[in-house]
Amino acid sequence: MVHIDRFGNLILNAPCNAWEPALNKRPRLRLVKPRGVDLKQARTYGDLNPADVGLLRGSQGFLELACRTGSAADRLNLKPGNTVVIG
C-alpha cells in the first residue's frame, strides 16, 4: 500500500489497467492479508453499503480500498507500507 488519503482511503500500488482482467471476471474479491475481509467492487463510494469495504478504481489510476462512511485505514487497521494481498 502506498498512501492513505485524508478520508482514510487506502491507495494501493496496483495500477487499475493491470488488474482489469481479474476485476472483470470476479465481481467480489477478498482481502486475504493481513486479515480476511470481503471486498465489494464499486464504481463510486456511493455504491457501497455502510458495512462494505470496497475496491474502487481511483482517479489517479490505482486501485483503492475504501468505506462509504468512515476510514478504511481505521477499519482494516492498516498504515502506509503495510502489505495487502487481494484474491
Side-chain angles (χ1 to χ4, degrees):
M1 177 189 18
V2 176
H3 175 71
I4 299 172
D5 70 14
R6 65 186 178 110
F7 302 105
N9 301 319
L10 305 163
I11 294 49
L12 306 178
N13 60 345
C16 295
N17 59 356
W19 275 75
E20 283 301 321
L23 296 175
N24 291 334
K25 288 181 189 176
R26 298 174 65 185
R28 285 190 78 85
L29 296 168
R30 185 164 176 81
L31 178 65
V32 177
K33 182 181 176 183
R35 63 186 176 100
V37 176
D38 288 330
L39 302 174
K40 179 181 177 185
Q41 285 194 57
R43 298 186 118 206
T44 69
Y45 303 106
D47 291 342
L48 300 171
N49 295 316
D52 290 335
V53 176
L55 183 68
L56 293 91
R57 292 159 181 87
S59 61
Q60 297 179 10
F62 293 90
L63 294 178
E64 299 181 14
L65 296 176
C67 295
R68 178 176 172 175
T69 56
S71 164
D74 290 346
R75 184 178 288 179
L76 299 171
N77 195 30
L78 292 171
K79 296 176 177 45
N82 288 151
T83 299
V84 298
V85 176
I86 297 172

